[in-house]
Amino acid sequence: MKRVEDRLKFHGNERVKRIQEVRKRNRRKRRLWVGLLVMAFLVAAIFMMDQKGLFELFFDHRVQYEGSSEYVEVLSEDGAVSRNALITLSQTLINHPYSLGQESLNLGKPEGPLGSAAFVDWVYYNLSGKALSAGSSSAGPLATKIWENSTSIMENELQPGDLGFTIIPEGSKVNAIGIYLGEIEGDKVFIHAGGVQYKAEGLPEGRIVISFNNVLKRNNRDLNGHKFSPSAPSTQFVYYRRPNVTFIE
C-alpha cells in the first residue's frame, strides 16, 4: 500500500512541476509581449512628438535649420514680386534674431536683428526694390505704414505673399505682422519675426519662424519639409491684407 502511495505522490509532483513550468513560460511570454508593446508605444510617441515639434520643446533646445540660409539675390527689374521667390527668400531667415523696434533695411542678408514689420519690409525690399512701408505717408509705426499700403482681403482669399495682422492699427500699439506662405498639413502658416514667445537658446528676444495660424499646434517645418528647431507656437493673425504690389506666379 505504501508503494502505491509513493508512486502516486511521485506522479503528482511531476504533474505539478509540468504545470509550473508551463505557467513560467506563459509569464515570460506575457512579459515579452508587454515589453514589446511598451517599446512600440514609446517609439510611436517619440515619432509623434518629433513631427509636432514637441520633442524639441521638452528635450532639445538647439537652434538648427535644415534648409538653406544662403541669401540669393532675386531682385526683380520691374518691381513685380514672384510668390515662389518670396517663399524661398523669406525662409532663408528662419531662426534669424528678432528685436523689438529694429527697423534696419538693406539689400542682402541683414546682419542685426529685425522687428516684426521690419522683416516684412526686408522681404519685399529684396524682392521688388521698394519697401512696403515706403508706400505710405503715415507718421505712425512701421506696421501701420505697411497696413496702409495694402488692401483688405478675406481669409479664404489668402495667397503666398499676403499679410496677417493681430490688431487694427491704433496709435502706437504694437501690431504683430507676418507673411502668409501657404499650407502645411492642411493648415495655414505664416512666416514672421516673433517675440519672446518664440525665443530660443541664444535668442532671448525671439526669432523668425513659420507658425500655424489660430490652431493649438506647434510647427517645426518649412514649406519644403525642412526641419527647424526649436519648434514654434502658433500665431493669432485675424486681419488679412494684400500688399499693393504686382504679383507674378
Side-chain angles (χ1 to χ4, degrees), residues 103 117 140-148 165 169 173-177:
E103 300 180 357
L142 202 62
T144 300
K145 294 180 180 181
I146 294 175
W147 174 288
E148 292 179 351
F165 296 81
K173 286 186 177 180
V174 176
N175 194 350
I177 176 176

Side-chain angles (χ1 to χ4, degrees), residues 26-39:
N26 288 339
R27 282 197 296 269
R28 285 196 293 268
K29 289 180 180 178
R30 283 196 295 270
R31 284 196 292 267
L32 177 62
W33 280 109
V34 169
L36 290 173
L37 288 172
V38 170
M39 185 179 296

